Amino acid sequence: MDVKSILEAVKNGTLSPAQAEEKLKTLPYDNMGFARVDNHRKLRTGFAEVIFCQGKTPEQAAAIAADLAKNGSNVLATRTAKEHFDAIKRLLPSAVYNTAARTVSLEQSPPQKIGSVAVCTAGTADIPVAEEAAVTAEAFGCEVTRIFDVGVAGIHRLFDKIELIRQANVVVAVAGMEGALASVIGGLVERPVIAVPTSIGYGSSFGGLSALLTMLNSCSAGIGVVNIDNGFGAGYLAGQINRLLFDKGGK
Amino acid sequence: MDVKSILEAVKNGTLSPAQAEEKLKTLPYDNMGFARVDNHRKLRTGFAEVIFCQGKTPEQAAAIAADLAKNGSNVLATRTAKEHFDAIKRLLPSAVYNTAARTVSLEQSPPQKIGSVAVCTAGTADIPVAEEAAVTAEAFGCEVTRIFDVGVAGIHRLFDKIELIRQANVVVAVAGMEGALASVIGGLVERPVIAVPTSIGYGSSFGGLSALLTMLNSCSAGIGVVNIDNGFGAGYLAGQINRLLFDKGGK
Amino acid sequence: MDVKSILEAVKNGTLSPAQAEEKLKTLPYDNMGFARVDNHRKLRTGFAEVIFCQGKTPEQAAAIAADLAKNGSNVLATRTAKEHFDAIKRLLPSAVYNTAARTVSLEQSPPQKIGSVAVCTAGTADIPVAEEAAVTAEAFGCEVTRIFDVGVAGIHRLFDKIELIRQANVVVAVAGMEGALASVIGGLVERPVIAVPTSIGYGSSFGGLSALLTMLNSCSAGIGVVNIDNGFGAGYLAGQINRLLFDKGGK
Amino acid sequence: MDVKSILEAVKNGTLSPAQAEEKLKTLPYDNMGFARVDNHRKLRTGFAEVIFCQGKTPEQAAAIAADLAKNGSNVLATRTAKEHFDAIKRLLPSAVYNTAARTVSLEQSPPQKIGSVAVCTAGTADIPVAEEAAVTAEAFGCEVTRIFDVGVAGIHRLFDKIELIRQANVVVAVAGMEGALASVIGGLVERPVIAVPTSIGYGSSFGGLSALLTMLNSCSAGIGVVNIDNGFGAGYLAGQINRLLFDKGGK
Amino acid sequence: MDVKSILEAVKNGTLSPAQAEEKLKTLPYDNMGFARVDNHRKLRTGFAEVIFCQGKTPEQAAAIAADLAKNGSNVLATRTAKEHFDAIKRLLPSAVYNTAARTVSLEQSPPQKIGSVAVCTAGTADIPVAEEAAVTAEAFGCEVTRIFDVGVAGIHRLFDKIELIRQANVVVAVAGMEGALASVIGGLVERPVIAVPTSIGYGSSFGGLSALLTMLNSCSAGIGVVNIDNGFGAGYLAGQINRLLFDKGGK
Amino acid sequence: MDVKSILEAVKNGTLSPAQAEEKLKTLPYDNMGFARVDNHRKLRTGFAEVIFCQGKTPEQAAAIAADLAKNGSNVLATRTAKEHFDAIKRLLPSAVYNTAARTVSLEQSPPQKIGSVAVCTAGTADIPVAEEAAVTAEAFGCEVTRIFDVGVAGIHRLFDKIELIRQANVVVAVAGMEGALASVIGGLVERPVIAVPTSIGYGSSFGGLSALLTMLNSCSAGIGVVNIDNGFGAGYLAGQINRLLFDKGGK
Amino acid sequence: MDVKSILEAVKNGTLSPAQAEEKLKTLPYDNMGFARVDNHRKLRTGFAEVIFCQGKTPEQAAAIAADLAKNGSNVLATRTAKEHFDAIKRLLPSAVYNTAARTVSLEQSPPQKIGSVAVCTAGTADIPVAEEAAVTAEAFGCEVTRIFDVGVAGIHRLFDKIELIRQANVVVAVAGMEGALASVIGGLVERPVIAVPTSIGYGSSFGGLSALLTMLNSCSAGIGVVNIDNGFGAGYLAGQINRLLFDKGGK
Amino acid sequence: MDVKSILEAVKNGTLSPAQAEEKLKTLPYDNMGFARVDNHRKLRTGFAEVIFCQGKTPEQAAAIAADLAKNGSNVLATRTAKEHFDAIKRLLPSAVYNTAARTVSLEQSPPQKIGSVAVCTAGTADIPVAEEAAVTAEAFGCEVTRIFDVGVAGIHRLFDKIELIRQANVVVAVAGMEGALASVIGGLVERPVIAVPTSIGYGSSFGGLSALLTMLNSCSAGIGVVNIDNGFGAGYLAGQINRLLFDKGGK
């Protein structure tokens, strides 16, 4: 599958130049007409493809899920409506729905254990986004500690949990409204912090813009920010950091 | 000067209706052509007029200052450039320049002591705005405690000073970048907090917008926000709260 | 409950260092899994916790309400839908719903009387936000005068009421569209003005942005601004100012 | 010059169809390469062309001014730097510079008197924009009353002048910061109000955006808004309204 | 009702100072609790109050309508839903609903004829806003010519009608999407143009922002802009210009 | 129909000046009251008028469609709801609905074949906009190749198709979220690229703003951008480029 | 240089697999440390690389220019300051500076003639951006007609030139302020229109945003938009369209 | 220094409760009046404090640098002007200035080697921000590979380097204009990617907003974004990820 072995095969005459050219072109994805399922992604980026269901019909989501599953991969679908779950379940009866996180998952083999993540929220209303992050990180083998409702309006709640947070390899800080949680955590822990602004709030929160700007402008360093409500992206990045640690022999 | 006494004078014949009508119109301000100096404001709002110098020529600023001073008022000019100070000093030689706060003041009689204010900043670069707030509050008789560089990136610096902050009647929280200081203080003190976003920062701070939105969306209640870099407004509002306390017999 | 007495107990041997460490950590909040109810807030900030229901399920709101109520606190829930009220009423049958303000309250003991607030609106459509401010201020013991529909398009309506407004300790000015009411009141009264922009308007009001910017840029000083439609925040801040007055012996 | 007379000339044989076609195309402007000076505009829109100098070189501005002047027109140039004036003066020695309004004018014949305009400002710093409006209106024959520094922070200053304002046919209200002046005037007078937001302010005034939105969202009806700092546009529109009155026999 | 006659009465003893003070305060509006109906507005601004129904309950709208009607005024309500009409009709059975303009009107006496207005739209979808403008202008006595779907994508349609447009005293140009219609008309007519941006469009029209900015930045002078979708404001301002003409003896 | 022949007719006496003037005015569009159907557009801009149905009632859409069809034109309606299709079908029973593209078309004569277009999407959710572009281009005679789901997150999918893309005369790149597809294609092909941002995304995609800005700021040159979700505009512009090629004898 | 010939060489033994792998990697650009000059781009996209000088030091610009020139390419540098020109001239003495367009060019061989472009501006101040477009298009072999100052405020100036504009293969419409020129031209010609918003304007033009939105929301179809002030991008895209025509045998 | 040992000392009588209370408060920072230098940060977050010089006077920067240096720490100052360097050098003669990165550093002991980082830029103009990232990461012990000018307009330049990029533990992708580089790299590597938008660009790049939104909305997962131009933040976060790896025994 790599360039060198194809070229060797050409040299050995096992492969004609035309065949080789074809092989170089035919990359390992399944073309489903409306989508090109990337079975190759796991090799390329360390994780299998996750199905982002917003904007996809239930039928499209289910077809992609089945395509991924037939290769034995675990399947994770995010931003699923109930209709997506129903369609997936028809094709993959063992699929499981997580209402809070709005994810559908199918675990065909347990993921490799790769490290720990603390997922914190400022408030109760941020929990769905945090759950999406947690479920995603778990799907990639992270052990997740959930620490919810520790926002800065009552900062003693955060301090009570700070040692627990410090034990994680990576911290995901999920907050809407003014989003100050990420800054405060960033000043208190020595590990990478992934900040997730949420659209929780009203008025001049402008759909999460307020929390997003807060996190980007944090006076604490060591914070990487993802899109508003992007729990999946935070969980995935946390997984990637833990994967790095795992691959390099850390524990 | 009030409607009732004018009307009584009309009844008594001391004032003709025409004179009364004139008096009702002639409100106590000095018309300087380019400006109408409001000598009446002290009676109406509890504080004398403060000269906002941005957009005024040095000559205009100095003329207004002299006009206010001739009635014995203390004078405070904000957003002054060196040129404003020079022009004012020519007319009012005792005027004093505060470089950090960019204010010019002339104290003809000490202001009445009306209460205490804590002025806090997140960082060093926020100090000029904080100084404008402090100088303004002092001009109106507040006792000001300055507590600088206690931003949330190193939150232990704030906690070390929190008792001091709690002793004030009113807290002014000045912060740029992500502006989280106001939220954290708001969750820790039981007194009114006036939040001043500053334009300190770069990139997506968008000239103070980030800190402004943070403060408006604070998950801590009890916070009133003023315009970006508006140290004067914060000091004035703090003064007004203390003035209320003073007028109502609090101590 | 304070650090000093814990440390004394350690010295006296009444408390082991480990126990003391534990106590210092265990701050007085109830962990409900999805939320950490802050029973301690009343001591820390002068007011009990208020339940912000937007983004909470009816069950979550009701559970928090019951938790607060079991300690004898008065309960105030804001941004409630009918469903929140129904769920709260099942657990707390004496809870009362205020349709205009969209609040649910349970008064177990009358709040201490702490001072007066004038709540003004520019128009009729601003009344729900104003009611939220009024109900909140009343919950904290303020005496509230409601003065509605006195916007600047017919400024004589405001002038007719200005003496009434001047009698209050604190003025809350609620306005949408161009939000000029706060500036005009700010120029006419000597008391702190809390400005609440509302999302009333259309087109370039951009969901309240127009009124918000107006209030932040007011040429009248002494105005603190809260988030768009944040009646609660204004009522709370008004309460905090009156509480300051009360605590310091003002009347 | 009108279509009908050209067609008559064609019928009469005075003009060949080719000549007629040419005439229909050759509209009365002077092509100067970099600009097409519109000598026809006065016929078409009631006013001669005004030279907007921002973005033009002094030489371009002067060439256009001379081209207009050679037809005997009065000349008005706006947004002029000193360099523009110098260049124009070299070609038109009688041209006059108005420093405050940043205009250059050459009056070859007095404009027809067409009506009255009141130009009001909220503050001192708004005067340059107001002057541009006033000079423009005067150039088109309006009689202008200047009423400066009557902003809403001290609303008695406005009320003192309201009768004077009411006597004008059209009112131009110039204000920066929160721009509430237009709303208040709009509620008090029965004449068309032209609102000019200015870029005076700082922080969240966002270069005049705050005042612009205020004026567009005014709760007073009868207000037409022009661009930020567009004193010229306001003076021109005021002139157009007065011109209508004049043309229709009003007085 | 004016200050002078009240003062004369005081002098004559017909009125005590206390009574006079009361009279000066009691301005002629009806306080309905939720609204202060401004019966005085017609004297003050030349037009009776119009009921803006968005954000008002049907009952509130109907009560205000009835209050205005009982004085014999014509009634105009804008931004009405069907529910508002139903409620108004119950109290005022002769009220008429205009579906396109979303207005309710009750004409008790024909309005004075005051002049002409041309209302133009760029497209078909802009018609509802244009109708609101037209109905409003008609309510104030203007004769309205409707010229719809003459946008610049097919500019010959506009040119075909330009003479008709030029005959009006005032032109209202209603356009969404890029809003260029106002600029083109502004360059072709010598009368005041009132530009109304509409929210018609999608994507980067951002709810009418695109058309609004176009109109504010028009390279044609003589254009006053109102809020997005504000047909009422445009009709009202057109009425005010015509009223000026009428009052001053123009025809 | 052109000016010259009309003028000749005047000269010959076949046409009176009055008739000629009338003819010059009466441009070839049908005035339907609410719309002016532009039958002349095909001559003027190379393509017949397309009916943009958003904001039009089904009846209006159908009436315009019928008006265009009666001249034998092919008909294309975009942004149609099911209701528009139903209304059109009643008048034009052969009309066909394309669900994905949300277009209705009636082909009375096959369009002239004018060239090729490649329509590419980054993701599955971008397909509806891409279909609108494809259907539009096909309606004008382009041969369209659809290449979907080749976004940059798995760039090998794009490279696999790049030769196919290079064979087209014009490339339409449709992408939401971060919209990087256009830049990458722009750097790889030598043909004009038309970039269509879509509103696919969430949070800080701000309804397509993110993709729009990406495309406008592309570091690859040779990219023209259309409005967010404007598949029609892209297909039309692609058609215009191919039409140019066709008219000038290219193949 | 292409994959197939490299593979053939491997088969023939002329190239070892390792050499082939190396060749596949070593793409034809010169690595200058700070920049990778893309000598290959002409083959890949039809045009040689153009040097965008903003943000580059004069030395960097000159080094890249020399690197391109040594291969015999014509050189075009845009957004050059005088310092860039001086540095380039030292290395390439025949380089020529175009002050208006702010470009530096070196023509070593005349470009192939590929077609015609009309470059139009709304105003005089838009000329520099238009010149950049014109110079770029000329550098790629287009014949350019310049038609300046034909904005819609005096639309007869545009109509006078419309036949000239219609003769071009591609039209570039350059406009600031409200940017309506592109819409009007788009409705009048049957050729692709490339719209260039400029930052000319003030106040709510917001640095060209107004013109940009206008062009994106144009009600005329067939318009592709480039970035604000991006004359180069427009000229390049015009060149690409003409190149397509040329390559396909059009004339 | 930790709570437990203080408490043990209290138990043992080595420390009185009062002393202990004092110790708990006295956190290890130096109060310099204008700043509180956080010598404790290295213990708390794994890295010593870095001096952000923007908004600080040269004297303040130098005083903080000296304070940090006296404890033997390495010193890094970012966003330094030449004046900052001069002031620091006077106190710390071994300090070194990096012109491209605008950093000042003093290395008193070589940092511990903790892992590798690849710093990539899209263009030449992004290099200063990239250098700030590289210098910061190096200061914390990372081995940095610089890969500049590999933007997506000539994507073969990136592919040529992709294996090199894949060897790093962490990738920093620095890009202005449309910022697509991060998405493309994110789709090609399996390691955490830190995206840094830069303010390089013009027009609708809006000071880096375009690149920022692109990166936040990336369709590739595993990307954490920092503020516009925040090279320091990216280098710091990269360092924190490598530090995690190092601490956990990875290699």
Side-chain angles (χ1 to χ4, degrees), chain E residues 152-153 155 159 177-178 180 183-184 187-188 202 204-206 209-210 213-214 216-220, chain G residues 152-153 155 159 177-178 180 183-184 187-188 202 204-206 209-210 213-214 216-220:
Chain E
V152 302
I155 208 165
F159 286 135
M177 301 184 81
E178 97 280 55
S183 288
V184 174
L188 291 167
Y202 61 91
S204 63
S205 82
F206 296 127
L209 179 64
S210 170
L213 293 182
T214 299
L216 287 168
N217 287 284
S218 177
C219 54
S220 303
Chain G
V152 302
I155 208 165
F159 286 136
M177 300 185 82
E178 97 281 55
S183 287
V184 174
L188 290 167
Y202 60 91
S204 64
S205 83
F206 296 127
L209 179 64
S210 170
L213 293 182
T214 299
L216 287 168
N217 287 284
S218 177
C219 54
S220 302

Side-chain angles (χ1 to χ4, degrees), chain C residues 121-128 148-149, chain E residues 34-36 55-57 60 64:
Chain C
T121 76
T124 299
D126 302 314
I127 292 177
F148 294 163
D149 201 25
Chain E
F34 56 87
R36 298 171 194 277
K56 293 202 177 66
T57 65
Q60 291 175 331
I64 298 172

Side-chain angles (χ1 to χ4, degrees), chain G residues 7 16 41 75 84-85 98 112 116 129 145-146 150 153 162 179 194 206-207 215 218 234 248:
Chain G
L7 291 167
S16 72
R41 189 190 292 238
V75 175
H84 292 105
F85 171 58
N98 180 322
Q112 215 173 17
S116 65
V129 174
T145 308
R146 287 158 172 84
V150 291
I162 197 68
I194 303 168
F206 296 127
M215 289 166 172
S218 177
K248 299 284 175 169

Side-chain angles (χ1 to χ4, degrees), chain F residues 72-152:
Chain F
S73 285
N74 293 338
V75 175
L76 177 62
T78 62
R79 304 252 163 170
T80 55
K82 186 63 171 40
E83 289 69 28
H84 292 105
F85 172 58
D86 293 342
I88 294 171
K89 199 167 179 68
R90 272 192 292 277
L91 301 188
L92 304 171
S94 320
V96 173
Y97 194 41
N98 180 322
T99 317
R102 290 177 36 210
T103 54
V104 175
S105 27
L106 175 73
E107 196 174 294
Q108 307 202 67
S109 58
Q112 216 173 15
K113 290 296 165 194
I114 58 173
S116 65
V117 180
V119 176
C120 309
T121 75
T124 299
D126 301 315
I127 292 177
V129 174
E131 275 296 327
E132 193 189 64
V135 166
T136 302
E138 285 168 345
F140 292 122
C142 301
E143 187 172 354
V144 173
T145 308
R146 287 159 172 85
I147 301 162
F148 293 163
D149 200 27
V150 292
V152 301

